[in-house]
PDB file of all heavy atoms in Angstrom:
ATOM      1  N   PHE A 357       4.508 -29.211 -22.015  1.00 97.00           N
ATOM      2  CA  PHE A 357       3.386 -28.381 -21.587  1.00 97.00           C
ATOM      3  C   PHE A 357       3.569 -28.000 -20.133  1.00 97.00           C
ATOM      4  O   PHE A 357       4.208 -28.723 -19.369  1.00 97.00           O
ATOM      5  CB  PHE A 357       2.051 -29.136 -21.744  1.00 97.00           C
ATOM      6  CG  PHE A 357       0.846 -28.307 -21.379  1.00 97.00           C
ATOM      7  CD1 PHE A 357       0.299 -27.425 -22.294  1.00 97.00           C
ATOM      8  CD2 PHE A 357       0.283 -28.398 -20.115  1.00 97.00           C
ATOM      9  CE1 PHE A 357      -0.786 -26.637 -21.948  1.00 97.00           C
ATOM     10  CE2 PHE A 357      -0.804 -27.615 -19.764  1.00 97.00           C
ATOM     11  CZ  PHE A 357      -1.344 -26.733 -20.688  1.00 97.00           C
ATOM     12  N   LEU A 400      -0.177 -33.247 -24.739  1.00 97.00           N
ATOM     13  CA  LEU A 400      -0.299 -32.983 -23.307  1.00 97.00           C
ATOM     14  C   LEU A 400      -1.144 -31.737 -23.084  1.00 97.00           C
ATOM     15  O   LEU A 400      -1.046 -30.760 -23.828  1.00 97.00           O
ATOM     16  CB  LEU A 400       1.082 -32.707 -22.696  1.00 97.00           C
ATOM     17  CG  LEU A 400       1.926 -33.843 -22.133  1.00 97.00           C
ATOM     18  CD1 LEU A 400       3.329 -33.328 -21.862  1.00 97.00           C
ATOM     19  CD2 LEU A 400       1.310 -34.423 -20.872  1.00 97.00           C
ATOM     20  N   TRP A 401      -1.947 -31.772 -22.052  1.00 98.00           N
ATOM     21  CA  TRP A 401      -2.658 -30.581 -21.598  1.00 98.00           C
ATOM     22  C   TRP A 401      -3.089 -30.804 -20.152  1.00 98.00           C
ATOM     23  O   TRP A 401      -3.384 -31.939 -19.745  1.00 98.00           O
ATOM     24  CB  TRP A 401      -3.895 -30.291 -22.441  1.00 98.00           C
ATOM     25  CG  TRP A 401      -4.678 -29.131 -21.886  1.00 98.00           C
ATOM     26  CD1 TRP A 401      -4.460 -27.806 -22.130  1.00 98.00           C
ATOM     27  CD2 TRP A 401      -5.779 -29.195 -20.971  1.00 98.00           C
ATOM     28  NE1 TRP A 401      -5.346 -27.038 -21.423  1.00 98.00           N
ATOM     29  CE2 TRP A 401      -6.172 -27.870 -20.690  1.00 98.00           C
ATOM     30  CE3 TRP A 401      -6.455 -30.237 -20.339  1.00 98.00           C
ATOM     31  CZ2 TRP A 401      -7.212 -27.564 -19.818  1.00 98.00           C
ATOM     32  CZ3 TRP A 401      -7.487 -29.931 -19.470  1.00 98.00           C
ATOM     33  CH2 TRP A 401      -7.867 -28.608 -19.225  1.00 98.00           C
ATOM     34  N   GLY A 402      -3.142 -29.729 -19.392  1.00 98.00           N
ATOM     35  CA  GLY A 402      -3.644 -29.834 -18.038  1.00 98.00           C
ATOM     36  C   GLY A 402      -4.076 -28.489 -17.508  1.00 98.00           C
ATOM     37  O   GLY A 402      -3.606 -27.434 -17.961  1.00 98.00           O
ATOM     38  N   GLY A 403      -4.967 -28.523 -16.524  1.00 97.00           N
ATOM     39  CA  GLY A 403      -5.438 -27.300 -15.907  1.00 97.00           C
ATOM     40  C   GLY A 403      -4.813 -27.043 -14.558  1.00 97.00           C
ATOM     41  O   GLY A 403      -4.874 -25.925 -14.041  1.00 97.00           O
ATOM     42  N   ASP A 407      -4.255 -32.428 -12.467  1.00 98.00           N
ATOM     43  CA  ASP A 407      -5.261 -32.637 -13.512  1.00 98.00           C
ATOM     44  C   ASP A 407      -4.596 -32.459 -14.873  1.00 98.00           C
ATOM     45  O   ASP A 407      -4.774 -31.455 -15.552  1.00 98.00           O
ATOM     46  CB  ASP A 407      -6.417 -31.655 -13.343  1.00 98.00           C
ATOM     47  CG  ASP A 407      -7.545 -31.895 -14.358  1.00 98.00           C
ATOM     48  OD1 ASP A 407      -7.662 -33.030 -14.861  1.00 98.00           O
ATOM     49  OD2 ASP A 407      -8.278 -30.929 -14.650  1.00 98.00           O
ATOM     50  N   TRP A 409      -3.565 -34.371 -18.692  1.00 98.00           N
ATOM     51  CA  TRP A 409      -3.928 -35.420 -19.643  1.00 98.00           C
ATOM     52  C   TRP A 409      -2.822 -35.603 -20.671  1.00 98.00           C
ATOM     53  O   TRP A 409      -2.217 -34.630 -21.122  1.00 98.00           O
ATOM     54  CB  TRP A 409      -5.233 -35.074 -20.359  1.00 98.00           C
ATOM     55  CG  TRP A 409      -6.410 -34.973 -19.455  1.00 98.00           C
ATOM     56  CD1 TRP A 409      -6.828 -33.878 -18.753  1.00 98.00           C
ATOM     57  CD2 TRP A 409      -7.328 -36.015 -19.136  1.00 98.00           C
ATOM     58  NE1 TRP A 409      -7.946 -34.169 -18.012  1.00 98.00           N
ATOM     59  CE2 TRP A 409      -8.289 -35.486 -18.240  1.00 98.00           C
ATOM     60  CE3 TRP A 409      -7.450 -37.346 -19.528  1.00 98.00           C
ATOM     61  CZ2 TRP A 409      -9.341 -36.237 -17.722  1.00 98.00           C
ATOM     62  CZ3 TRP A 409      -8.503 -38.103 -19.015  1.00 98.00           C
ATOM     63  CH2 TRP A 409      -9.432 -37.550 -18.123  1.00 98.00           C
ATOM     64  N   ALA A 443      -3.500 -34.661 -30.152  1.00 98.00           N
ATOM     65  CA  ALA A 443      -3.516 -33.452 -29.325  1.00 98.00           C
ATOM     66  C   ALA A 443      -4.693 -33.489 -28.368  1.00 98.00           C
ATOM     67  O   ALA A 443      -5.720 -34.137 -28.625  1.00 98.00           O
ATOM     68  CB  ALA A 443      -3.602 -32.202 -30.201  1.00 98.00           C
ATOM     69  N   VAL A 444      -4.546 -32.747 -27.261  1.00 98.00           N
ATOM     70  CA  VAL A 444      -5.610 -32.636 -26.264  1.00 98.00           C
ATOM     71  C   VAL A 444      -5.630 -31.209 -25.752  1.00 98.00           C
ATOM     72  O   VAL A 444      -4.583 -30.571 -25.600  1.00 98.00           O
ATOM     73  CB  VAL A 444      -5.389 -33.651 -25.104  1.00 98.00           C
ATOM     74  CG1 VAL A 444      -4.003 -33.495 -24.497  1.00 98.00           C
ATOM     75  CG2 VAL A 444      -6.462 -33.515 -24.045  1.00 98.00           C
ATOM     76  N   TRP A 445      -6.821 -30.687 -25.508  1.00 98.00           N
ATOM     77  CA  TRP A 445      -6.995 -29.336 -24.958  1.00 98.00           C
ATOM     78  C   TRP A 445      -8.326 -29.302 -24.214  1.00 98.00           C
ATOM     79  O   TRP A 445      -9.287 -29.991 -24.585  1.00 98.00           O
ATOM     80  CB  TRP A 445      -7.007 -28.284 -26.068  1.00 98.00           C
ATOM     81  CG  TRP A 445      -7.332 -26.902 -25.553  1.00 98.00           C
ATOM     82  CD1 TRP A 445      -6.451 -26.005 -25.039  1.00 98.00           C
ATOM     83  CD2 TRP A 445      -8.626 -26.294 -25.460  1.00 98.00           C
ATOM     84  NE1 TRP A 445      -7.110 -24.869 -24.641  1.00 98.00           N
ATOM     85  CE2 TRP A 445      -8.451 -25.022 -24.891  1.00 98.00           C
ATOM     86  CE3 TRP A 445      -9.917 -26.704 -25.803  1.00 98.00           C
ATOM     87  CZ2 TRP A 445      -9.521 -24.157 -24.646  1.00 98.00           C
ATOM     88  CZ3 TRP A 445     -10.979 -25.840 -25.564  1.00 98.00           C
ATOM     89  CH2 TRP A 445     -10.782 -24.581 -24.999  1.00 98.00           C
ATOM     90  N   GLY A 446      -8.381 -28.500 -23.172  1.00 98.00           N
ATOM     91  CA  GLY A 446      -9.625 -28.352 -22.447  1.00 98.00           C
ATOM     92  C   GLY A 446      -9.852 -26.930 -21.992  1.00 98.00           C
ATOM     93  O   GLY A 446      -8.904 -26.151 -21.815  1.00 98.00           O
ATOM     94  N   SER A 447     -11.106 -26.577 -21.792  1.00 97.00           N
ATOM     95  CA  SER A 447     -11.450 -25.246 -21.266  1.00 97.00           C
ATOM     96  C   SER A 447     -11.623 -25.279 -19.753  1.00 97.00           C
ATOM     97  O   SER A 447     -11.531 -24.247 -19.092  1.00 97.00           O
ATOM     98  CB  SER A 447     -12.741 -24.737 -21.922  1.00 97.00           C
ATOM     99  OG  SER A 447     -13.855 -25.518 -21.514  1.00 97.00           O
ATOM    100  N   ARG A 448     -11.870 -26.505 -19.232  1.00 97.00           N
ATOM    101  CA  ARG A 448     -12.064 -26.699 -17.798  1.00 97.00           C
ATOM    102  C   ARG A 448     -12.006 -28.203 -17.536  1.00 97.00           C
ATOM    103  O   ARG A 448     -11.972 -29.008 -18.496  1.00 97.00           O
ATOM    104  CB  ARG A 448     -13.406 -26.110 -17.351  1.00 97.00           C
ATOM    105  CG  ARG A 448     -14.603 -26.716 -18.043  1.00 97.00           C
ATOM    106  CD  ARG A 448     -15.866 -25.910 -17.835  1.00 97.00           C
ATOM    107  NE  ARG A 448     -17.011 -26.626 -18.393  1.00 97.00           N
ATOM    108  CZ  ARG A 448     -18.122 -26.046 -18.812  1.00 97.00           C
ATOM    109  NH1 ARG A 448     -18.236 -24.731 -18.747  1.00 97.00           N
ATOM    110  NH2 ARG A 448     -19.119 -26.770 -19.289  1.00 97.00           N
ATOM    111  N   PRO A 449     -11.978 -28.647 -16.284  1.00 97.00           N
ATOM    112  CA  PRO A 449     -11.809 -30.082 -16.003  1.00 97.00           C
ATOM    113  C   PRO A 449     -12.863 -30.986 -16.611  1.00 97.00           C
ATOM    114  O   PRO A 449     -12.587 -32.170 -16.868  1.00 97.00           O
ATOM    115  CB  PRO A 449     -11.844 -30.142 -14.467  1.00 97.00           C
ATOM    116  CG  PRO A 449     -11.378 -28.799 -14.031  1.00 97.00           C
ATOM    117  CD  PRO A 449     -11.919 -27.839 -15.034  1.00 97.00           C
ATOM    118  N   ASP A 450     -14.069 -30.480 -16.848  1.00 97.00           N
ATOM    119  CA  ASP A 450     -15.132 -31.331 -17.392  1.00 97.00           C
ATOM    120  C   ASP A 450     -15.459 -31.006 -18.849  1.00 97.00           C
ATOM    121  O   ASP A 450     -16.536 -31.341 -19.336  1.00 97.00           O
ATOM    122  CB  ASP A 450     -16.400 -31.212 -16.539  1.00 97.00           C
ATOM    123  CG  ASP A 450     -16.952 -29.792 -16.513  1.00 97.00           C
ATOM    124  OD1 ASP A 450     -16.268 -28.871 -17.013  1.00 97.00           O
ATOM    125  OD2 ASP A 450     -18.065 -29.595 -15.974  1.00 97.00           O
ATOM    126  N   ASP A 451     -14.528 -30.357 -19.552  1.00 97.00           N
ATOM    127  CA  ASP A 451     -14.727 -30.015 -20.968  1.00 97.00           C
ATOM    128  C   ASP A 451     -13.395 -30.153 -21.692  1.00 97.00           C
ATOM    129  O   ASP A 451     -12.625 -29.207 -21.791  1.00 97.00           O
ATOM    130  CB  ASP A 451     -15.272 -28.595 -21.115  1.00 97.00           C
ATOM    131  CG  ASP A 451     -15.480 -28.211 -22.575  1.00 97.00           C
ATOM    132  OD1 ASP A 451     -16.101 -29.000 -23.311  1.00 97.00           O
ATOM    133  OD2 ASP A 451     -14.992 -27.126 -22.982  1.00 97.00           O
ATOM    134  N   ILE A 452     -13.113 -31.363 -22.197  1.00 98.00           N
ATOM    135  CA  ILE A 452     -11.810 -31.697 -22.763  1.00 98.00           C
ATOM    136  C   ILE A 452     -12.002 -32.275 -24.162  1.00 98.00           C
ATOM    137  O   ILE A 452     -12.893 -33.096 -24.389  1.00 98.00           O
ATOM    138  CB  ILE A 452     -11.081 -32.726 -21.873  1.00 98.00           C
ATOM    139  CG1 ILE A 452     -11.035 -32.222 -20.426  1.00 98.00           C
ATOM    140  CG2 ILE A 452      -9.663 -32.982 -22.380  1.00 98.00           C
ATOM    141  CD1 ILE A 452     -10.784 -33.321 -19.434  1.00 98.00           C
ATOM    142  N   TRP A 453     -11.148 -31.822 -25.085  1.00 98.00           N
ATOM    143  CA  TRP A 453     -11.212 -32.287 -26.470  1.00 98.00           C
ATOM    144  C   TRP A 453      -9.919 -32.982 -26.865  1.00 98.00           C
ATOM    145  O   TRP A 453      -8.832 -32.535 -26.494  1.00 98.00           O
ATOM    146  CB  TRP A 453     -11.482 -31.127 -27.413  1.00 98.00           C
ATOM    147  CG  TRP A 453     -12.831 -30.502 -27.219  1.00 98.00           C
ATOM    148  CD1 TRP A 453     -13.141 -29.411 -26.464  1.00 98.00           C
ATOM    149  CD2 TRP A 453     -14.060 -30.964 -27.782  1.00 98.00           C
ATOM    150  NE1 TRP A 453     -14.492 -29.154 -26.512  1.00 98.00           N
ATOM    151  CE2 TRP A 453     -15.081 -30.091 -27.329  1.00 98.00           C
ATOM    152  CE3 TRP A 453     -14.409 -32.006 -28.636  1.00 98.00           C
ATOM    153  CZ2 TRP A 453     -16.417 -30.238 -27.690  1.00 98.00           C
ATOM    154  CZ3 TRP A 453     -15.745 -32.159 -28.999  1.00 98.00           C
ATOM    155  CH2 TRP A 453     -16.722 -31.298 -28.530  1.00 98.00           C
ATOM    156  N   VAL A 454     -10.058 -34.071 -27.636  1.00 98.00           N
ATOM    157  CA  VAL A 454      -8.922 -34.823 -28.159  1.00 98.00           C
ATOM    158  C   VAL A 454      -9.139 -35.030 -29.651  1.00 98.00           C
ATOM    159  O   VAL A 454     -10.262 -35.325 -30.085  1.00 98.00           O
ATOM    160  CB  VAL A 454      -8.788 -36.198 -27.453  1.00 98.00           C
ATOM    161  CG1 VAL A 454      -7.740 -37.056 -28.143  1.00 98.00           C
ATOM    162  CG2 VAL A 454      -8.443 -36.007 -25.983  1.00 98.00           C
ATOM    163  N   HIS A 463     -14.741 -36.062 -27.041  1.00 98.00           N
ATOM    164  CA  HIS A 463     -15.043 -35.090 -25.998  1.00 98.00           C
ATOM    165  C   HIS A 463     -15.117 -35.809 -24.661  1.00 98.00           C
ATOM    166  O   HIS A 463     -15.719 -36.880 -24.544  1.00 98.00           O
ATOM    167  CB  HIS A 463     -16.359 -34.370 -26.258  1.00 98.00           C
ATOM    168  CG  HIS A 463     -16.671 -33.319 -25.221  1.00 98.00           C
ATOM    169  ND1 HIS A 463     -17.608 -33.502 -24.226  1.00 98.00           N
ATOM    170  CD2 HIS A 463     -16.125 -32.096 -25.008  1.00 98.00           C
ATOM    171  CE1 HIS A 463     -17.651 -32.420 -23.457  1.00 98.00           C
ATOM    172  NE2 HIS A 463     -16.755 -31.555 -23.908  1.00 98.00           N
ATOM    173  N   GLY A 464     -14.472 -35.214 -23.646  1.00 98.00           N
ATOM    174  CA  GLY A 464     -14.468 -35.825 -22.337  1.00 98.00           C
ATOM    175  C   GLY A 464     -15.025 -34.905 -21.268  1.00 98.00           C
ATOM    176  O   GLY A 464     -14.900 -33.673 -21.354  1.00 98.00           O
ATOM    177  N   TRP A 469     -15.315 -40.658 -22.273  1.00 98.00           N
ATOM    178  CA  TRP A 469     -15.147 -40.022 -23.571  1.00 98.00           C
ATOM    179  C   TRP A 469     -16.259 -40.438 -24.524  1.00 98.00           C
ATOM    180  O   TRP A 469     -16.743 -41.577 -24.484  1.00 98.00           O
ATOM    181  CB  TRP A 469     -13.796 -40.408 -24.175  1.00 98.00           C
ATOM    182  CG  TRP A 469     -12.654 -39.981 -23.330  1.00 98.00           C
ATOM    183  CD1 TRP A 469     -12.043 -40.706 -22.346  1.00 98.00           C
ATOM    184  CD2 TRP A 469     -12.006 -38.710 -23.357  1.00 98.00           C
ATOM    185  NE1 TRP A 469     -11.036 -39.970 -21.763  1.00 98.00           N
ATOM    186  CE2 TRP A 469     -10.986 -38.737 -22.364  1.00 98.00           C
ATOM    187  CE3 TRP A 469     -12.173 -37.563 -24.135  1.00 98.00           C
ATOM    188  CZ2 TRP A 469     -10.154 -37.650 -22.137  1.00 98.00           C
ATOM    189  CZ3 TRP A 469     -11.334 -36.485 -23.905  1.00 98.00           C
ATOM    190  CH2 TRP A 469     -10.345 -36.525 -22.918  1.00 98.00           C
ATOM    191  N   VAL A 487      -5.879 -29.115 -31.528  1.00 98.00           N
ATOM    192  CA  VAL A 487      -7.143 -28.564 -31.043  1.00 98.00           C
ATOM    193  C   VAL A 487      -6.811 -27.506 -30.010  1.00 98.00           C
ATOM    194  O   VAL A 487      -5.903 -27.672 -29.189  1.00 98.00           O
ATOM    195  CB  VAL A 487      -8.050 -29.670 -30.457  1.00 98.00           C
ATOM    196  CG1 VAL A 487      -7.346 -30.445 -29.347  1.00 98.00           C
ATOM    197  CG2 VAL A 487      -9.373 -29.086 -29.964  1.00 98.00           C
ATOM    198  N   TRP A 488      -7.537 -26.395 -30.072  1.00 98.00           N
ATOM    199  CA  TRP A 488      -7.292 -25.281 -29.155  1.00 98.00           C
ATOM    200  C   TRP A 488      -8.535 -24.400 -29.155  1.00 98.00           C
ATOM    201  O   TRP A 488      -9.285 -24.352 -30.139  1.00 98.00           O
ATOM    202  CB  TRP A 488      -6.076 -24.463 -29.600  1.00 98.00           C
ATOM    203  CG  TRP A 488      -5.801 -23.270 -28.739  1.00 98.00           C
ATOM    204  CD1 TRP A 488      -5.024 -23.231 -27.619  1.00 98.00           C
ATOM    205  CD2 TRP A 488      -6.323 -21.952 -28.902  1.00 98.00           C
ATOM    206  NE1 TRP A 488      -5.023 -21.967 -27.079  1.00 98.00           N
ATOM    207  CE2 TRP A 488      -5.816 -21.155 -27.859  1.00 98.00           C
ATOM    208  CE3 TRP A 488      -7.165 -21.355 -29.831  1.00 98.00           C
ATOM    209  CZ2 TRP A 488      -6.128 -19.807 -27.709  1.00 98.00           C
ATOM    210  CZ3 TRP A 488      -7.484 -20.013 -29.695  1.00 98.00           C
ATOM    211  CH2 TRP A 488      -6.962 -19.256 -28.643  1.00 98.00           C
ATOM    212  N   GLY A 489      -8.767 -23.704 -28.066  1.00 98.00           N
ATOM    213  CA  GLY A 489      -9.929 -22.831 -28.016  1.00 98.00           C
ATOM    214  C   GLY A 489      -9.796 -21.774 -26.946  1.00 98.00           C
ATOM    215  O   GLY A 489      -8.805 -21.717 -26.206  1.00 98.00           O
ATOM    216  N   THR A 490     -10.825 -20.924 -26.873  1.00 96.00           N
ATOM    217  CA  THR A 490     -10.866 -19.874 -25.856  1.00 96.00           C
ATOM    218  C   THR A 490     -11.952 -20.127 -24.824  1.00 96.00           C
ATOM    219  O   THR A 490     -11.932 -19.527 -23.748  1.00 96.00           O
ATOM    220  CB  THR A 490     -11.110 -18.506 -26.504  1.00 96.00           C
ATOM    221  OG1 THR A 490     -12.379 -18.522 -27.185  1.00 96.00           O
ATOM    222  CG2 THR A 490     -10.007 -18.175 -27.505  1.00 96.00           C
ATOM    223  N   ALA A 491     -12.915 -21.011 -25.162  1.00 96.00           N
ATOM    224  CA  ALA A 491     -14.061 -21.267 -24.287  1.00 96.00           C
ATOM    225  C   ALA A 491     -14.756 -22.530 -24.767  1.00 96.00           C
ATOM    226  O   ALA A 491     -14.483 -23.022 -25.867  1.00 96.00           O
ATOM    227  CB  ALA A 491     -15.023 -20.075 -24.317  1.00 96.00           C
ATOM    228  N   PRO A 492     -15.677 -23.094 -23.977  1.00 95.00           N
ATOM    229  CA  PRO A 492     -16.385 -24.298 -24.408  1.00 95.00           C
ATOM    230  C   PRO A 492     -17.113 -24.132 -25.735  1.00 95.00           C
ATOM    231  O   PRO A 492     -17.276 -25.110 -26.476  1.00 95.00           O
ATOM    232  CB  PRO A 492     -17.371 -24.559 -23.264  1.00 95.00           C
ATOM    233  CG  PRO A 492     -16.747 -23.932 -22.070  1.00 95.00           C
ATOM    234  CD  PRO A 492     -16.047 -22.709 -22.585  1.00 95.00           C
ATOM    235  N   ASN A 494     -16.137 -22.082 -28.240  1.00 96.00           N
ATOM    236  CA  ASN A 494     -15.266 -21.557 -29.288  1.00 96.00           C
ATOM    237  C   ASN A 494     -13.994 -22.388 -29.338  1.00 96.00           C
ATOM    238  O   ASN A 494     -12.991 -22.055 -28.716  1.00 96.00           O
ATOM    239  CB  ASN A 494     -14.929 -20.086 -29.046  1.00 96.00           C
ATOM    240  CG  ASN A 494     -14.112 -19.499 -30.189  1.00 96.00           C
ATOM    241  OD1 ASN A 494     -14.368 -19.792 -31.355  1.00 96.00           O
ATOM    242  ND2 ASN A 494     -13.123 -18.689 -29.864  1.00 96.00           N
ATOM    243  N   VAL A 495     -14.052 -23.498 -30.079  1.00 98.00           N
ATOM    244  CA  VAL A 495     -12.958 -24.464 -30.157  1.00 98.00           C
ATOM    245  C   VAL A 495     -12.569 -24.648 -31.626  1.00 98.00           C
ATOM    246  O   VAL A 495     -13.438 -24.759 -32.494  1.00 98.00           O
ATOM    247  CB  VAL A 495     -13.361 -25.818 -29.542  1.00 98.00           C
ATOM    248  CG1 VAL A 495     -12.179 -26.777 -29.531  1.00 98.00           C
ATOM    249  CG2 VAL A 495     -13.902 -25.624 -28.128  1.00 98.00           C
TER     250      VAL A 495
END
Side-chain angles (χ1 to χ4, degrees):
F357 183 82
L400 270 169
W401 175 85
D407 184 24
W409 297 86
V444 54
W445 174 86
S447 68
R448 59 194 187 206
D450 61 351
D451 180 49
I452 307 160
W453 295 95
V454 171
H463 182 256
W469 299 91
V487 56
W488 177 89
T490 61
N494 184 40
V495 184

